Amino acid sequence: MISKWKLTGIIATGIIVLMIPISIVLHSPSTQSYQKQAKFVGGKECVSCHQREYELWKGSDHDRAMMVANDSTVLGDFNNVEVEFRGQTHKFYRRDGKFFVYTEGIGGKLTEFQITHTFGVRPLQQYLIPFDKGRYQCLPIAWDSEKNRWFDMAGMVYSEEELKPDSWFHWTNQSQNWNGMCAECHSTNLQKNYDLETDSFNTTWSDINVNCEACHGPGSDHLDWAKLPESSRDYDGNMGLVLKTSETTSKQYIEACAPCHSRRTSFGPNEHQDAEYYNLHRPQNISPPLYYADGQILDEVYVFASFTQSKMYMHDVRCNDCHDSHSIKFKFEDNALCTQCHRPEEYDTFQHHFHKYANEKGELVKNKFGEMIQVGEGALCKTCHMPGNYYMGIDFRRDHSFRIPRPDLSLKYNVPNACNDCHADKSYQWSEDWIKKYFGERKKFTYASVLADGYLHKENADTSLNRLIKNDLYPEMVRATALSYLSAYNSPAADSVIIEMLYNIEPLVRERAIDAFNTDDARQLIRIIFPLLNDPIKMVRISAASKLFVVGKEFFTEEQFKKMNEVLEEYLQTLNYTADFPTGKYNLGNFYSNKSDIVKAEKFYLDAIRMDNNFYPAKSNLALLYYNQGKLKEAENLFLDLIQNHPEYTQGEYYLGLLYAEQKKYKEAAEVLEKATLKSDVNPRIFYNLGLIYQYLNNNSKAETSLLKANQLSQNEFDVLYALADFYIKAGDYTKAMNYAEELKIKFPSNPAGLEIINYLKESQTRLK
């Protein structure tokens, strides 16, 4: 089950011109030839030759990722059991060998549903129910397979408001839809097959669970290779396997697991034939609201971006160093897993962790979840270096960024630390005092503070961000996230670093650099971003295309425009693939809005709103679409809806104020914009527009105050400086007008406005003499 939607652009950006063709590095020529002809044969074909691997895999979480519901697969109690959650009684029972539940359905009506499939197994098992149009939905009540009880998973994850029948999060709606939310990582060769026209699914798979071909790719060529006489087999290649899982770099190995173990946007179905992760997916930044400001896990994020910010990752540790590749079990128990690499005589000692061992006397402590922690837990490496959270109600997952506990960062940024996770009754300062006592005052540099300062837009944080981004000793995930923060700092040094990173060897860094690059000069945008349309990585190409999409055709050569449209077609395919989500329909609305296809843009925005009425980005863009079309009443209604029902949306008063000003309702515009100035993240343009509106209302005192405030908040805005010069000319204060005209001339030398105002003022002063 996926937790709440978060507003994230489906495609961010990408970049590169000059670089090693990464696709060549990742794929041998023999692998490329297999890709064109290999077919899925089913995991059962592998057993006869790979009995040991099969026995390890059998019964694993991958094996039982999804199964047909029957007596041997269903763990839950269906023996005419009744349970009550949130004041409602739910019944679980069998009939004619089938499994049924009587629970709240569409519109809140109590309904009988047949359960056809199990989903997952440990520590909980979910159940799938078929609906119309090929949809399967995940029941919100799940089975706790460790405590052998039913539990209200949805009630533990969502608020009462979010569980109402008309909410996107209600189990009968798209948030809990198996086809789009969950399916591709629980079955092999999963084809979602969403039909945008009919809003329906025809989802298929080759193996119902996560089988051999999910990791090794379609196996027909490998079977052909195995049938050859041993003397005729080629052992120099990949033995007919499409995807290499041996003799790979640690990075390649980790990215083989990443398609399912990452919080990401997918560009299309995972055909299990492309070893390059970034041709298929775009991972999210290690930023709020998915992560804490320092990069620790917060939401349900599936390991990849946590692990790839760790020192382990940078030292070539890979998944199968700790987990068996087939059983998924730990290779060793407790600290023995870590002492494979870390010297036990140094690290598995009291002098390192300062906690008692399990066989020693001590007091239990209550952690932040209200659980009693046994003596000895503090001596385990994972307790201090891999703290975690509960997801899906009862599923405890650990942070794989392998951090040193830093209570000092908790004091500074209000982020968690492992000490207070266990000692929940103590303060951050208490923990920090003990850390200083045991380890001294000195602290090692950590990128976590740089990221947190960047996220908070701290003054001068761009200097540290620049150094972090340029230092390739830090993980690409960290540097990519830092790039996203750097874009908020408008400085020559920041711009230089962003442009430099467009040519970085790492696709993720290039892609985030595209997103971070900003210019009002269309020709400069084309000159710098256009070459990246030829990037070997799909994520980078389509990000470059989306960046260039807003530029008018007149700025491109014929060949350039043709190339951009080729890549835009790739981009459109990715949008169509995710169109079963509100975000997907929203992005299609943006796509067609940029193409000036107003009819389609309006349709997709409305479809997104119908799917999730709380998805305010679609309402905002539809309101702006109406505004630009002159449909002011429709736009006004949407802005009023946004202001009233979406407090997290902070631009409603600003746009509504502009709309009233457009209608020459200056008094109403001023009232609404004044409310907008009270927001925590106030837009400097609000004060600029207030200044103009107060001039219409002949309130020069408030006009001057507003324009000066706009200039204070954003000192390099041409419009604000021009408005101040104009204001003081009209007020007869030529001295102040001259000051702002001079500033215009210095800051915007290519614009003649500053010089024209200066000449006008000089001529006026001459006439007055």
Side-chain angles (χ1 to χ4, degrees):
M1 185 179 73
I2 304 296
S3 57
K4 307 176 186 180
W5 67 265
K6 307 294 183 186
L7 175 56
T8 48
I10 191 168
I11 305 296
T13 62
I15 296 209
I16 135 174
V17 201
L18 199 62
M19 62 170 294
I20 300 170
I22 296 176
S23 57
I24 294 176
V25 175
L26 295 179
H27 301 293
S28 66
S30 59
T31 301
Q32 295 285 3
S33 66
Y34 289 136
Q35 287 184 355
K36 298 175 183 177
Q37 51 189 305
K39 295 180 175 57
F40 287 89
V41 297
K44 63 183 184 300
E45 297 293 333
C46 309
V47 178
S48 60
C49 293
H50 302 282
Q51 187 68 39
R52 176 184 171 276
E53 289 77 9
Y54 170 76
E55 292 298 335
L56 286 167
W57 168 85
K58 190 66 178 172
S60 69
D61 289 356
H62 282 174
D63 176 21
R64 299 193 286 178
M66 181 173 169
M67 297 176 284
V68 174
N70 57 44
D71 288 341
S72 64
T73 60
V74 172
L75 300 180
D77 186 354
F78 283 82
N79 294 313
N80 296 317
V81 171
E82 292 187 4
V83 294
E84 184 177 316
F85 297 119
R86 289 177 277 126
Q88 193 170 76
T89 300
H90 312 266
K91 301 177 182 179
F92 295 86
Y93 50 94
R94 304 185 190 203
R95 189 171 63 242
D96 300 326
K98 298 176 182 178
F99 298 83
F100 294 88
V101 59
Y102 186 73
T103 190
E104 179 185 83
I106 296 174
K109 181 182 178 182
L110 289 171
T111 309
E112 177 184 86
F113 297 97
Q114 182 188 345
I115 288 167
T116 58
H117 296 84
T118 66
F119 206 63
V121 67
R122 181 188 60 87
L124 67 147
Q125 186 174 71
Q126 289 181 271
Y127 299 96
L128 301 183
I129 293 171
F131 277 62
D132 64 340
K133 295 187 174 182
R135 301 175 192 274
Y136 282 80
Q137 301 294 127
C138 297
L139 189 69
I141 302 170
W143 181 255
D144 183 336
S145 55
E146 294 183 346
K147 295 182 179 179
N148 291 322
R149 62 184 177 94
W150 292 106
F151 73 101
D152 181 17
M153 181 176 62
M156 297 177 74
V157 175
Y158 301 115
S159 69
E160 197 67 34
E161 185 70 24
E162 290 168 332
L163 292 175
K164 290 183 176 179
D166 61 348
S167 168
W168 185 68
F169 298 108
H170 190 266
W171 80 274
T172 60
N173 297 325
Q174 202 268 344
S175 171
Q176 307 305 315
N177 171 250
W178 164 82
N179 310 73
M181 282 290 194
C182 324
E184 74 172 338
C185 288
H186 283 251
S187 299
T188 303
N189 186 28
L190 193 288
Q191 302 293 314
K192 180 168 64 174
N193 292 331
Y194 173 69
D195 189 307
L196 183 58
E197 296 300 318
T198 61
D199 188 31
S200 63
F201 295 91
N202 181 29
T203 305
T204 63
W205 59 73
S206 57
D207 272 310
I208 193 172
N209 51 13
V210 181
N211 221 302
C212 312
E213 291 169 301
C215 299
H216 298 284
S220 62
D221 284 352
H222 179 61
L223 289 184
D224 290 342
W225 175 89
K227 291 174 183 176
L228 293 171
E230 190 162 344
S231 59
S232 301
R233 295 175 186 170
D234 176 14
Y235 287 93
D236 295 329
N238 202 33
M239 298 175 289
L241 291 170
V242 172
L243 300 177
K244 292 186 68 173
T245 54
S246 61
E247 298 181 9
T248 61
T249 66
S250 59
K251 187 176 190 298
Q252 289 170 331
Y253 192 98
I254 291 161
E255 290 181 2
C257 303
C260 287
H261 294 275
S262 60
R263 186 72 175 260
R264 71 216 176 277
T265 292
S266 296
F267 304 144
N270 184 358
E271 307 283 359
H272 305 281
Q273 301 203 31
D274 192 339
E276 177 52 65
Y277 172 74
Y278 298 107
N279 278 335
L280 301 169
H281 310 283
R282 177 187 184 268
Q284 302 295 334
N285 279 340
I286 49 173
S287 305
L290 300 180
Y291 298 79
Y292 287 100
D294 64 342
Q296 293 186 75
I297 61 171
L298 175 57
D299 210 319
E300 194 174 15
V301 289
Y302 314 114
V303 175
F304 172 73
S306 299
F307 186 69
T308 54
Q309 57 175 295
S310 70
K311 284 187 177 180
M312 303 286 191
Y313 171 71
M314 294 302 288
H315 285 83
D316 293 333
V317 175
R318 59 180 75 190
C319 313
N320 66 333
D321 287 325
C322 297
H323 302 270
D324 181 87
S325 300
H326 296 94
S327 70
I328 321 301
K329 293 179 180 179
F330 291 125
K331 288 188 169 182
F332 302 97
E333 291 300 317
D334 296 332
N335 289 356
L337 194 65
C338 305
T339 55
Q340 293 180 91
C341 299
H342 301 276
R343 296 188 303 276
E345 65 274 15
E346 181 174 350
Y347 294 104
D348 195 4
T349 65
F350 180 83
Q351 288 69 31
H352 175 70
H353 53 65
F354 299 100
H355 285 79
K356 294 180 179 180
Y357 286 92
N359 58 352
E360 297 179 313
K361 290 184 179 181
E363 295 182 3
L364 277 63
V365 297
K366 184 182 289 187
N367 70 10
K368 66 179 182 180
F369 305 112
E371 302 163 339
M372 298 308 297
I373 302 300
Q374 301 297 315
V375 176
E377 285 292 314
L380 298 177
C381 308
K382 63 184 179 183
T383 304
C384 294
H385 299 293
M386 296 184 71
N389 284 311
Y390 282 98
Y391 301 96
M392 303 175 74
I394 65 169
D395 189 0
F396 186 77
R397 303 180 196 168
R398 294 189 178 277
D399 192 324
H400 279 64
S401 58
F402 298 98
R403 295 167 181 267
I404 295 172
R406 292 290 298 264
D408 60 314
L409 297 184
S410 301
L411 286 164
K412 189 174 182 180
Y413 302 111
N414 195 31
V415 295
N417 70 81
C419 304
N420 290 102
D421 280 1
C422 286
H423 299 278
D425 62 330
K426 306 299 184 182
S427 67
Y428 291 155
Q429 188 61 55
W430 177 88
S431 297
E432 175 62 5
D433 289 344
W434 278 105
I435 290 289
K436 287 180 179 178
K437 178 181 178 180
Y438 286 138
F439 298 102
E441 294 281 345
R442 293 187 64 183
K443 295 285 195 302
K444 288 185 177 180
F445 170 79
T446 171
Y447 64 78
S449 59
V450 179
L451 291 184
D453 286 344
Y455 169 71
L456 296 170
H457 295 167
K458 291 282 188 71
E459 188 176 357
N460 300 321
D462 53 325
T463 301
S464 298
L465 288 169
N466 285 338
R467 285 199 296 265
L468 179 64
I469 291 163
K470 294 178 70 173
N471 191 339
D472 59 9
L473 294 179
Y474 288 98
E476 61 266 26
M477 178 59 71
V478 172
R479 297 162 62 215
T481 300
L483 266 170
S484 297
Y485 296 150
L486 186 63
S487 63
Y489 293 89
N490 185 17
S491 70
D495 293 343
S496 175
V497 169
I498 290 168
I499 291 174
E500 180 183 345
M501 291 303 111
L502 295 173
Y503 306 98
N504 191 267
I505 189 66
E506 295 294 343
L508 187 61
V509 173
R510 299 197 300 275
E511 192 264 353
R512 295 303 195 266
I514 292 177
D515 192 43
F517 179 75
N518 288 303
T519 178
D520 293 327
D521 186 335
R523 299 192 187 283
Q524 183 191 32
L525 184 66
I526 293 172
R527 177 174 56 81
I528 291 176
I529 301 298
F530 178 82
L532 303 171
L533 295 176
N534 294 303
D535 196 282
I537 303 300
K538 183 175 183 177
M539 177 184 70
V540 180
R541 289 195 303 274
I542 61 179
S543 297
S546 68
K547 192 79 171 184
L548 294 170
F549 196 12
V550 297
V551 179
K553 181 179 180 179
E554 66 274 16
F555 291 98
F556 293 91
T557 66
E558 185 176 339
E559 285 301 311
Q560 284 177 331
F561 195 68
K562 179 181 177 182
K563 179 63 181 178
M564 188 185 72
N565 279 307
E566 288 176 5
V567 184
L568 278 177
E569 186 58 34
E570 273 191 294
Y571 179 44
L572 179 59
Q573 289 172 10
T574 69
L575 299 185
N576 285 330
Y577 181 73
T578 57
D580 53 319
F581 290 86
T583 49
K585 289 182 170 63
Y586 162 76
N587 280 288
L588 280 169
N590 294 341
F591 181 89
Y592 287 110
S593 178
N594 283 333
K595 287 182 73 72
S596 299
D597 190 335
I598 304 304
V599 174
K600 282 188 176 179
E602 180 183 14
K603 173 190 180 301
F604 285 116
Y605 287 143
L606 287 171
D607 286 346
I609 295 167
R610 275 191 287 268
M611 183 175 280
D612 181 6
N613 191 50
N614 288 318
F615 185 61
Y616 64 82
K619 292 183 179 181
S620 173
N621 282 19
L622 180 59
L624 292 171
L625 189 76
Y626 286 148
Y627 177 83
N628 292 327
Q629 285 183 278
K631 294 182 178 180
L632 300 186
K633 187 61 181 176
E634 290 90 338
E636 180 183 5
N637 289 339
L638 280 167
F639 285 133
L640 288 170
D641 177 4
L642 286 160
I643 293 168
Q644 181 177 349
N645 299 313
H646 303 280
E648 67 272 38
Y649 179 72
T650 59
Q651 299 297 312
E653 286 91 350
Y654 173 54
Y655 289 128
L656 184 62
L658 297 184
L659 186 148
Y660 286 150
E662 180 87 7
Q663 296 173 307
K664 295 184 169 47
K665 298 178 180 178
Y666 298 123
K667 184 178 179 181
E668 292 90 336
E671 290 176 354
V672 173
L673 289 175
E674 285 289 0
K675 291 180 181 178
T677 65
L678 302 177
K679 301 288 185 181
S680 58
D681 55 344
V682 62
N683 183 342
R685 298 290 293 186
I686 295 171
F687 290 102
Y688 164 75
N689 284 285
L690 263 176
L692 301 183
I693 288 167
Y694 279 130
Q695 289 183 70
Y696 281 113
L697 293 172
N698 295 316
N699 190 332
N700 285 344
S701 175
K702 286 190 174 182
E704 181 182 23
T705 300
S706 298
L707 289 173
L708 289 172
K709 184 66 174 179
N711 190 44
Q712 177 190 340
L713 293 173
S714 185
Q715 297 181 4
N716 295 305
E717 287 285 340
F718 174 88
D719 291 344
V720 175
L721 294 172
Y722 187 91
L724 279 165
D726 178 68
F727 172 81
Y728 286 119
I729 289 173
K730 292 174 180 176
D733 192 335
Y734 284 11
T735 300
K736 289 183 178 179
M738 182 64 80
N739 289 339
Y740 287 108
E742 292 283 1
E743 194 172 347
L744 273 172
K745 179 185 174 184
I746 293 170
K747 290 184 174 179
F748 303 95
S750 62
N751 193 311
L755 184 59
E756 289 172 357
I757 295 174
I758 291 170
N759 292 335
Y760 169 80
L761 290 170
K762 287 180 178 178
E763 291 172 6
S764 298
Q765 288 172 332
T766 301
R767 285 196 300 270
L768 289 174
K769 292 178 181 178

